[in-house]
Amino acid sequence: MKLKLIACEVLYREMCALIARSPHQVDLAFLPKGLHDIGSSGMLERLQAAVDGADTPGYDALIMGYALCNNGISGLRARTLPLVIPRGHDCMTLFLGSRSRYQQYFNDNPGTYFLTPGWIERGESAGELRQLSIQNRNGMDLTYDQLVARYGEDNARYLFDELCDQTKHYRQITYINMGLDTDSRFHDLAEARARTNEWKFDAVEGDLSLLERLVFGTWPDTDFLVVPPGHQVVTTYDDRIIAAEAVQE
Amino acid sequence: MEDLKKLYDAILTGNFKIARETTQQALAAGIDPQALVQQQMIPAMDEVGRRYEANEYFVPELLISARAMKASLELIRPLLAAKGAEPAGRVVIGTVKGDLHDIGKNLVAAMLEGAGFEVIDLGVDVSPEKFIAALNERHATLVAMSALLTTTMNSMKTTVEAIKAAGVRQKVKIMIGGAPVTQKYADEIGADGYSNNANAAVALARKLVAA
């Protein structure tokens, strides 16, 4: 097969490693990390533009290096080529290899912030995406000094604690080792960040098998949604996570 | 009534110190607390809501205005309670089990308080059992649930089911919100309402308690 992969750049290292070994020819397009931060309609618009641009003769399918991603993939339409999407809430399913493993870990460790090499080296959204982000639009990424300038000293402390202090939403950092690290750099950075925030630290082994099947062309319905041409992705709110429905024009 | 306009302005601009001071002065001067609420404070919060809808105010402005409103209400509420005045409604609010995000939940709680609701805030990572216990103990008529993640959204469904199983579903209205939540999801899990922002949540809460 000849496949085109459209993936979030947070998967850069993993995807490149897998594509090198794929039995198929896989062309590759990365989109910037942080689309989930601009809201579902903004993310969908950009994904659809990427799909539409890639929907050209010669490919057998478009494969997506995305999960539901805060509903950012909901509404995505397959034009003339089928779209293949792993079933998962977010990229942690892709890194951990299955949504059951992710759910289990999630339930057992509430308030975990996951880090991978991609999340570390491409961690902060920059430039235009940052401007468009929900955080930016709601004043969540203002510094304390900016808050003082806009709202006065009294309100600044209150707003900082309420809106801008992101540390209160998490208790733990978990580093997912995808097995591609050549040294302990990323692991050490993750551990240091946990220490700075005074959070618990855990490290687990990643599992490339789900992404491998995506790139190797093995797409059982249990783990992948194949969206036929003329159909779109819908959220199912159950364990399937996503389904395809015919586009009503 | 120049001084009372100061209270209106203090809430509108989110100045909680002036709000508290002017409330103290007004009460000391013998102004009817109910009149203060109805004629100055709630109109100020309504104007805050209007400005938010018109994109003149954003989340920080909502928060500081609600904070000023709260500072004033804290002085007035005991007086209203002594007169036997009931709140606009009693609402139990929380971020659902597994989810520790509370910015949206706190904002909705602050706005509801500003609108005269008694708010019982259960915090984050709230289990269905905790919601039910609070409903029973505090005789609330409204439940407000928040979730930021699609991973935790399903806790809303299990909480609705637990409320049904506990036999108290008929006594309460349920409203939900949060980034991944949609009206479609609210319909699917049998919630009574969904709102996509904190200002609209106040209108929704008023509608639900009136129904």
Side-chain angles (χ1 to χ4, degrees), chain B residues 44 53 67 82 97-98 101 106-107 139 142 154 158 188 191 197 203:
Chain B
E53 297 294 338
R67 184 187 188 215
K97 190 169 166 54
H101 296 87
N106 290 347
L107 182 57
H139 306 289
L142 196 55
N154 203 39
T158 50
E188 255 189 61
N197 71 63

Side-chain angles (χ1 to χ4, degrees), chain B:
Chain B
M1 285 294 130
E2 180 64 21
D3 282 0
L4 298 186
K5 179 73 170 40
K6 262 168 79 183
L7 175 56
Y8 177 93
D9 289 339
I11 291 172
L12 189 58
T13 56
N15 192 324
F16 83 99
K17 281 187 176 165
I18 303 275
R20 196 161 53 198
E21 276 169 28
T22 49
T23 305
Q24 274 164 343
Q25 286 160 8
L27 293 174
I31 309 263
D32 174 26
Q34 191 72 47
L36 269 187
V37 174
Q38 296 300 335
Q39 290 163 21
Q40 305 298 332
M41 297 163 64
I42 289 183
M45 284 306 286
D46 287 346
E47 174 62 12
V48 168
R50 191 199 65 75
R51 291 187 183 188
Y52 177 74
E53 297 294 338
N55 285 322
E56 294 164 26
Y57 269 15
F58 299 93
V59 167
E61 285 82 5
L62 287 191
L63 277 169
I64 60 174
S65 286
R67 184 187 188 215
M69 178 80 177
K70 195 174 165 180
S72 179
L73 271 178
E74 276 165 1
L75 299 171
I76 290 176
R77 204 178 280 128
L79 303 175
L80 294 180
K83 286 188 174 177
E86 283 288 311
R90 268 188 200 90
V91 50
V92 167
I93 190 169
T95 302
V96 294
K97 190 169 166 54
D99 204 324
L100 272 58
H101 296 87
D102 67 357
I103 294 176
K105 184 267 293 170
N106 290 347
L107 182 57
V108 171
M111 293 297 285
L112 287 174
E113 278 201 300
F117 284 80
E118 183 179 328
V119 176
I120 301 136
D121 187 346
L122 302 180
V124 298
D125 193 16
V126 180
S127 67
E129 298 74 33
K130 268 203 224 165
F131 273 111
I132 292 163
L135 278 176
N136 289 333
E137 282 161 26
R138 305 296 290 273
H139 306 289
T141 55
L142 196 55
V143 180
M145 289 189 274
S146 167
L148 184 77
L149 309 168
T150 57
T151 349
T152 55
M153 220 166 106
N154 203 39
S155 296
M156 292 181 166
K157 187 174 176 219
T158 50
T159 307
V160 172
E161 283 162 3
I163 289 171
K164 277 187 201 158
V168 289
R169 181 66 183 91
Q170 302 310 320
K171 294 186 196 164
V172 295
K173 299 283 195 223
I174 301 173
M175 55 190 270
I176 62 174
V181 181
T182 58
Q183 181 62 50
K184 188 173 164 227
Y185 183 66
D187 295 341
E188 255 189 61
I189 66 168
D192 299 299
Y194 155 76
S195 154
N196 75 350
N197 71 63
N199 186 51
V202 172
L204 174 64
R206 283 178 177 152
K207 193 182 100 188
L208 290 177
V209 294

Side-chain angles (χ1 to χ4, degrees), chain A residues 71 89 151 154-155 162 169 237, chain B residues 14 17 61 67 150 180 182:
Chain A
N71 290 327
H89 282 289
Y151 303 106
D154 277 333
N155 279 324
E162 278 296 318
H169 302 127
Y237 309 115
Chain B
K17 281 187 176 165
E61 285 82 5
R67 184 187 188 215
T150 57
T182 58

